[in-house]
Amino acid sequence: MTTYDVLVRGGMVYDGSGAPPVEADIAVDGDRIVKIGRLALDHGRNEIDARGRAVAPGFINMLSWATETLLHDGRGKSDVHQGVTLEVVGEGFSYGPLNDAMKAYFREMMAAQELQYEIDWTTLGEHLDSVVRRGISPNIASFVGMTTLRLHQMGYEDRSPTASELETMQALTRQAMLDGAVGVSSALIYPPAAYSKTDELIALARVAAEYGGLYISHLRSEGNTLAEAFDEFLTILKESGIRGEIYHLKVMGQRNWDKLDWLIERIEDARRSGLEITADMYPYPAGATGLDSSVPPWAHEGGRAALNARLVAPETRARILKEMGEESTAWENMRRLAGGADKVLLCGFATEPLRRYTGWTLAAVAADRNQPPEEAILDLLVEDNSRIDTVYFTISEANLRQQMALPWVSFCSDEQAPAPEGAFLKINPHPRAYGAFARVLGEYVREQQIITLEDAIRRLTGLPASVLRIRQRGLIQPNYYADLVVFDPATIQDHATFTQPHQLATGVQHVLVNGMPVISEGEHTGALPGRVVRGPGWAGGQS
């Protein structure tokens, strides 16, 4: 007879490999799984009755924007209540490395935001340590963002780096990989990353490849020039020798929806040829980004103040309005890809006077202001002096179901990790913040039966862990970290909607992070046991 710290009894154990479940007990001591099997004679100081429920490795959010919300409230409730135990951040922009000018700029921008925090770091490694030191419930990992590297050397300038600047960007990438970054990331529709050329991306990816890292990218286009964007992605992988993942796989704009078959065929051809390519997705027919993504990239050069100046100067304003109204292969025009202004939903404002428009469509706001939609976009951006969080309905539900069945696709929220309280209620996030993972399991596994439960769990756990090359996580095995979720497959459900997003998912009864209960009987315990999970190049050798 042995007494363990935690004993999870009698659940149907899905080990994260995709294998069928087995009924078993799981013993945890400290932060590790120590035994799996029939442990009727053993005891736990904390015993969890998992009979009739699924027990899985903790879920991995492959694209999270949880950093600022965790700095404000380390509980990460919207995600942890769905079973997420690892937030993977850094889509194009990472919170390190910073220089003094970047710190000053971010402090200035933060002054107009609800979420405040001290920037007490410079490198990416220092940032991750700072987040954990303040206390977080889930674990955190990060890519080093090419946007951040560009900002570090060139700010918002629309040009290629000099040889010296590129050498410094490579050195910063190397340091980030040694600090534990899981790879290098790009988000190529957003300035200043949109100003980068392919050879710059190859040079940085080549450094990450030296450390076993991943190149992960929001492609330069997910719509009108998808073919060219995917070709660039392949070129980067082939020239740098790196593995690759596509952020939030999708095809945007109704005129482009039929390109999904072509894209899947190209990815699978590349995989058969030996390239390591995977993707992630969120299970909704709409994406979210800034309202400023409806403004052409050239207008963003120099940063927010320069953009605002161009939006009000008659000559540049006229040019911007003209380009916003045209189909383009030169940039990703989010408003046009959504179709009408009624398919654009405004969700987050920085200033109190404009917050009355939270949850309104662009069409309704334009009508209220007696303006054409494009004019309203420009004026709102100037008045709010922010990007204005916006949902764009650009994705086909049929395409979502097709992507859901792909075995090499994992899942993400592409959102922050708020709580339905306090300062978080002043903006409306995309419902994926509260529901992405529960929606996969409830809607697409249980209701539509597009994928099996064991495969969905594999793609929430074992698959992303292997893609990230993180150690001893993502599977239920002895000596693996005890990141575990106990949930009811018959009741797990998302409740967040586009107009009322601040609703926690239900159906997850227990969550352990590093052996510590953070959800118990469906309630957050307040525990903050999250750690930094570091990539394969980390100089420390183990995470």
Side-chain angles (χ1 to χ4, degrees):
M1 181 187 300
T2 305
T3 300
Y4 301 100
D5 289 335
V6 179
L7 193 57
V8 182
R9 287 201 180 275
M12 296 302 296
V13 176
Y14 295 78
D15 67 4
S17 71
V22 295
E23 186 175 345
D25 307 323
I26 301 173
V28 174
D29 259 345
D31 60 2
R32 304 282 181 146
I33 297 167
V34 294
K35 196 172 184 181
I36 304 163
R38 299 301 181 105
L39 308 177
L41 299 179
D42 296 330
H43 298 283
R45 296 179 183 89
N46 175 14
E47 294 209 0
I48 295 172
D49 183 359
R51 288 173 296 180
R53 297 169 180 169
V55 183
F59 302 152
I60 296 173
N61 185 349
M62 275 294 282
L63 196 182
S64 170
W65 285 99
T67 307
E68 287 190 338
T69 45
L70 289 175
L71 286 167
H72 181 78
D73 177 356
R75 294 173 298 169
K77 290 191 72 173
S78 67
D79 268 1
V80 172
H81 272 270
Q82 298 179 74
V84 172
T85 60
L86 174 58
E87 306 281 5
V88 185
V89 300
E91 184 202 0
F93 176 81
S94 57
Y95 284 75
L98 304 181
N99 58 29
D100 289 343
M102 294 168 74
K103 291 180 185 181
Y105 177 76
F106 295 135
R107 288 186 180 113
E108 178 185 346
M109 298 305 295
M110 196 194 310
Q113 300 174 0
E114 295 296 328
L115 305 186
Q116 304 288 317
Y117 51 88
E118 174 64 24
I119 301 174
D120 59 356
W121 66 85
T122 298
T123 69
L124 180 60
E126 290 168 351
H127 161 68
L128 294 170
D129 289 338
S130 176
V131 173
V132 169
R133 187 167 58 249
R134 298 166 201 232
I136 56 175
S137 292
N139 298 310
I140 189 169
S142 184
F143 289 90
V144 58
M146 290 177 168
T147 296
T148 299
L149 298 170
R150 242 183 177 264
L151 288 170
H152 194 282
Q153 289 300 291
M154 293 174 280
Y156 279 88
E157 295 181 35
D158 183 358
R159 63 175 177 84
S160 294
T162 65
S164 175
E165 287 167 339
L166 183 58
E167 185 176 330
T168 299
M169 291 164 70
Q170 289 176 303
L172 292 169
T173 302
R174 183 169 290 107
Q175 184 58 57
M177 295 303 298
L178 291 170
D179 285 347
V182 290
V184 64
S185 65
S186 66
L188 298 175
I189 74 164
Y190 302 112
Y195 308 144
S196 62
K197 302 296 190 293
T198 306
D199 58 352
E200 174 187 332
L201 304 176
I202 291 169
L204 299 177
R206 188 173 285 133
V207 174
E210 295 173 12
Y211 298 91
L214 181 71
Y215 172 65
I216 188 166
S217 181
H218 179 150
L219 300 181
R220 204 176 290 272
S221 171
E222 298 170 324
N224 295 349
T225 57
L226 175 64
E228 294 84 349
F230 183 70
D231 284 344
E232 179 186 43
F233 178 75
L234 285 184
T235 297
I236 293 165
L237 302 191
K238 292 174 181 176
E239 293 295 321
S240 66
I242 201 167
R243 302 171 297 117
E245 170 135 329
I246 298 172
Y247 271 133
H248 44 53
L249 182 72
K250 60 182 176 292
V251 177
M252 294 199 305
Q254 186 169 356
R255 61 178 288 185
N256 298 310
W257 287 347
D258 61 0
K259 296 177 181 178
L260 181 63
D261 287 338
W262 172 91
L263 179 59
I264 293 171
E265 183 179 351
R266 287 293 307 278
I267 293 171
E268 294 189 335
D269 281 347
R271 285 168 56 86
R272 283 189 289 268
S273 76
L275 285 179
E276 295 183 60
I277 298 179
T278 49
D280 52 69
M281 65 175 287
Y282 47 78
Y284 294 87
T289 185
L291 188 62
D292 59 359
S293 295
S294 293
V295 174
W298 64 264
H300 294 257
E301 184 178 10
R304 179 71 56 195
L307 171 64
N308 288 349
R310 294 185 183 102
L311 297 183
V312 298
E315 183 177 348
T316 48
R317 183 182 178 95
R319 178 185 168 190
I320 290 166
L321 287 169
K322 179 175 182 295
E323 293 183 17
M324 288 172 67
E326 298 172 340
E327 286 294 337
S328 176
T329 58
W331 63 291
E332 201 89 314
N333 188 332
M334 296 298 293
R335 212 286 299 161
R336 288 193 64 84
L337 286 168
D342 61 327
K343 294 182 174 63
V344 178
L345 191 68
L346 307 183
C347 298
F349 295 89
T351 58
E352 193 62 42
L354 291 178
R355 285 185 178 144
R356 70 186 186 92
Y357 289 136
T358 301
W360 289 37
T361 66
L362 176 61
V365 173
D368 184 69
R369 296 166 64 97
N370 196 28
Q371 289 182 290
E374 285 74 15
E375 294 273 4
I377 288 172
L378 304 194
D379 288 347
L380 288 168
L381 290 172
V382 173
E383 292 168 30
D384 204 54
N385 193 34
S386 83
R387 72 172 204 154
I388 304 180
D389 294 339
T390 303
V391 168
Y392 297 91
F393 289 84
T394 60
I395 305 165
S396 158
E397 179 66 38
N399 282 0
L400 278 184
R401 292 193 292 270
Q402 186 175 357
Q403 292 173 200
M404 190 69 61
L406 297 169
W408 37 266
V409 173
S410 58
F411 300 105
C412 69
S413 72
D414 195 5
E415 262 292 352
Q416 297 184 334
E421 60 191 63
F424 296 122
L425 298 179
K426 294 191 176 183
I427 65 169
N428 274 8
H430 191 297
R432 63 195 181 189
Y434 285 88
F437 308 96
R439 185 170 178 80
V440 168
L441 297 169
E443 179 65 23
Y444 292 99
V445 173
R446 184 180 64 239
E447 301 301 329
Q448 297 196 33
Q449 299 181 17
I450 292 174
I451 49 176
T452 64
L453 182 55
E454 52 261 42
D455 190 46
I457 290 172
R458 177 187 69 85
R459 290 161 55 192
L460 285 162
T461 60
L463 173 63
S466 67
V467 168
L468 295 169
R469 293 187 177 174
I470 55 178
R471 304 169 182 88
Q472 297 175 310
R473 298 187 192 268
L475 297 174
I476 295 178
Q477 289 187 9
N479 205 39
Y480 269 54
Y481 289 97
D483 297 337
L484 298 171
V485 54
V486 178
F487 68 97
D488 185 350
T491 63
I492 191 167
Q493 185 67 49
D494 63 302
H495 301 285
T497 66
F498 286 100
T499 54
Q500 295 186 337
H502 290 287
Q503 301 185 75
L504 294 170
T506 54
V508 170
Q509 284 84 27
H510 299 273
V511 177
L512 302 184
V513 177
N514 300 312
M516 181 75 68
V518 296
I519 299 290
S520 179
E521 300 296 346
E523 298 296 328
H524 203 292
T525 67
L528 304 172
R531 300 176 183 171
V532 180
V533 174
R534 303 184 196 271
W538 184 43
Q542 290 289 324
S543 60

